[in-house]
Amino acid sequence: MSSTASTAWTSLKSHATDMSHSHISTLFKQEPDRFSQFTFEQKELLLDLSKQKITSETITLLKELTEEKQLSTWIKKLFQGDHINDSENRPALHTALRSPANFSIPLAGKNIVTEVHDNLARMEKIVERIHSGQWRGYTGHSIDTVVNIGVGGSDLGPFMACKALSENSPEIARKLKVYFVSSMDGSQLADLLDQLNPARTLFIISSKSFTTIDTLANAQTAKEWLKQSSNSGTEATLVARHFIGVSANPEKVLEWGIPKSNQLEFWDWTGGRYSMWSTIGLPIALKLGMSGFKELLAGAHEMDEHFKAAPFEQNLPVLLAMIGIWNINFLNINAHAILPYDGRLSHIPAYLEQLEMESNGKSVDRQGDRVNHKTCPILWGEVGTNAQHAFYQLLHQGTEAVMCDFIVSARRYHDTDNSELQHQHQLNLANCLAQSRILALGDSVLEGAETAPAYKRYKGDQPCTTIMLDELTPFTFGQLIALYEHKVFVQSVIWNINPFDQWGVELGKKVATSLLDAFDFNGDKPNFDSSTNGLLNRIASKGEPH
């Protein structure tokens, strides 16, 4: 049955028509205590939906839609390891990566939680060896720099987490520098290698398949740099001392030259964009120590348990997802801004761009038919205080309807005597609350605004969600990311699409590979479309490459 062919969908369409005549500011006048009615908590995380264009009837109808779409059944399928990634005939068990050691999740006759914790134990030994100065480079000096080479899920999650949680680094980890390289063109790596001491640099090559051309090209450049810098020792010795491989394809890692002793594994039931909880999170563990990494896992597991057990009308991932469904499919809002009011969360918009748009940016349902409704919106974002000076003009006075997620921590700098830093945090909080208030309520918050000229008016009525952490810690960060993961899954169930494949990215890779021979410029005329032919001829005329 089509997603739109349901009683609840029809009821929501009718309800949306009625709600379209109500401004969010009017809803606050009608229900002055909306905050207590539409705010929900889970441990140290608060979700405020009061500035969304909703009423209690909206929540009731959305819950009915989840029941029609059998969301409870799908959640059970997710956690018990059913092959819900149907196009690749795999389960999606990223939740197993943060399950406690005493959990049991059977798959193919094995308890995969045992395998997960065996790998975490191996990772812990590597982390301890590096932190203690016992991992040594080709000169015998200890490693003081780590470079993670990966792309997509092998880069975005670890990069985001290391930036977000660097203040939580234990003393033993603070002397270790951690960098990330992802760009295929070599620009990141070239700039970085000029600054590094090859004798004290360790490379982590992170790739689920270990066939990703972007990653392997950077890895090969790093290997050549080490060979040229050392002028001694065999390649095998250099690789053994300066490379770790993290992959679900250990044979390919070994083929590249990284010995088994330097390998960490994860599994094909872990999607790349869901893999930061696995050994792909090695850079996070190096930054936070294993105790900090385990706190991150614990926070995510706490959200998993909440998602499994909480009734839908109090279930944070379900509520966040269904409010998104309401905005996209019933209020026709197709743009979503992620606005963290915390410089430490500067990389969360890029991470969520992949998580949401690669997962749910689909137009074909699980039965292979074209969907007849909107799916994932365009998602982008920036640190809020920077975004205020960039694209908030469009949010406040443009012609596009945009739903906004504000993410902020209630507490920061409470353990310092620096009153100026404490004041800066208050200033940051004031901006966060003010911007979400104006976006939702418009200039009705100001007296006399109605007499201002049109170009100074603020229409408001942009639906806003606020996610407030008590404090940014590994635990609350784990909660936050798992919240968004489960939100994406819930929306995929409502839309009847598979959020765990990404066939849309594959064709570009194949066509790029087929184009490589055209760069030999051996006199043959390129035989593609006129645009590609023209661009290849232009490149050839400039003498690159030779």
Side-chain angles (χ1 to χ4, degrees), residues 38 69 74 90 181 296 300 378 389-390 432 440 450 458 474 544:
F38 296 115
K69 300 303 176 184
W74 279 98
R90 295 173 184 165
V181 167
L296 177 74
I378 301 295
H389 300 279
C432 178
E450 64 276 2
Y458 291 74
E544 289 186 3

Side-chain angles (χ1 to χ4, degrees), residues 467-543:
I467 300 173
M468 183 174 286
L469 311 177
D470 288 356
E471 184 177 1
L472 181 58
T473 66
F475 184 89
T476 59
F477 189 71
Q479 284 182 286
L480 176 66
I481 302 306
L483 169 68
Y484 275 102
E485 285 183 348
H486 294 318
K487 169 213 164 179
V488 165
F489 177 67
V490 171
Q491 291 183 335
S492 78
V493 172
I494 303 303
W495 290 325
N496 188 31
I497 57 179
N498 179 4
F500 300 115
D501 61 10
Q502 54 282 330
W503 294 104
V505 307
E506 300 302 327
L507 184 59
K509 297 177 186 177
K510 291 180 181 177
V511 173
T513 301
S514 70
L515 273 166
L516 281 174
D517 289 343
F519 288 88
D520 289 341
F521 300 121
N522 53 14
D524 294 338
K525 290 186 176 181
N527 187 26
F528 303 100
D529 59 89
S530 62
S531 173
T532 304
N533 292 341
L535 293 170
L536 283 167
N537 289 331
R538 173 73 175 185
I539 293 167
S541 73
K542 298 303 175 182

Side-chain angles (χ1 to χ4, degrees), residues 155-174:
D155 170 76
L156 290 168
F159 190 17
M160 167 189 67
C162 285
K163 175 66 187 294
L165 301 171
S166 61
E167 292 180 8
N168 299 88
S169 294
E171 190 65 37
I172 196 169
R174 288 180 185 172

Side-chain angles (χ1 to χ4, degrees), residues 122-346:
R122 291 193 66 238
M123 185 167 82
E124 185 163 12
K125 289 179 180 177
I126 289 174
V127 170
E128 289 174 351
R129 189 175 161 200
I130 293 170
H131 281 171
S132 66
Q134 295 306 305
W135 190 298
R136 300 183 181 276
Y138 63 84
T139 63
H141 291 91
S142 60
I143 295 298
D144 67 1
T145 302
V146 172
V147 180
N148 187 84
I149 297 178
V151 71
S154 299
D155 170 76
L156 290 168
F159 190 17
M160 167 189 67
C162 285
K163 175 66 187 294
L165 301 171
S166 61
E167 292 180 8
N168 299 88
S169 294
E171 190 65 37
I172 196 169
R174 288 180 185 172
K175 59 187 177 183
L176 185 71
K177 298 181 286 292
V178 180
Y179 298 99
F180 291 85
V181 167
S182 60
S183 67
M184 183 188 289
D185 66 357
S187 56
Q188 285 176 312
L189 191 57
D191 290 345
L192 187 58
L193 294 181
D194 286 342
Q195 308 168 34
L196 302 184
N197 178 353
R200 304 193 69 180
T201 300
L202 177 68
F203 295 94
I204 302 170
I205 314 302
S206 296
S207 172
K208 182 176 179 179
S209 65
F210 224 79
T211 59
T212 307
I213 192 168
D214 322 37
T215 299
L216 295 183
N218 279 319
Q220 191 62 35
T221 297
K223 186 195 287 185
E224 289 302 313
W225 174 71
L226 275 167
K227 287 164 65 175
Q228 293 171 16
S229 302
S230 66
N231 292 318
S232 63
T234 65
E235 179 176 310
T237 300
L238 283 175
V239 171
R241 293 194 176 194
H242 292 276
F243 285 89
I244 292 173
V246 185
S247 180
N249 193 347
E251 292 77 15
K252 284 288 184 183
V253 183
L254 191 62
E255 185 181 310
W256 194 83
I258 298 176
K260 284 280 188 183
S261 59
N262 288 26
Q263 293 184 29
L264 290 170
E265 294 184 41
F266 63 109
W267 303 269
D268 64 3
W269 43 258
T270 303
R273 56 190 172 275
Y274 298 89
S275 65
M276 63 178 273
W277 321 101
S278 72
T279 49
I280 286 288
L282 175 59
I284 308 172
L286 288 169
K287 196 78 173 175
L288 302 183
M290 279 304 293
S291 61
F293 186 71
K294 289 175 181 177
E295 282 183 47
L296 177 74
L297 299 182
H301 177 69
E302 186 69 39
M303 187 59 72
D304 294 342
E305 293 298 290
H306 169 79
F307 180 49
K308 280 195 294 185
F312 288 169
E313 64 272 16
Q314 299 170 19
N315 190 307
L316 272 64
V318 173
L319 288 164
L320 187 62
M322 296 309 294
I323 293 302
I325 294 288
W326 168 246
N327 285 326
I328 296 160
N329 297 112
F330 301 100
L331 299 184
N332 300 314
I333 301 174
N334 302 304
H336 189 176
I338 303 296
L339 307 168
Y341 272 75
D342 192 321
R344 297 169 295 179
L345 296 177
S346 59

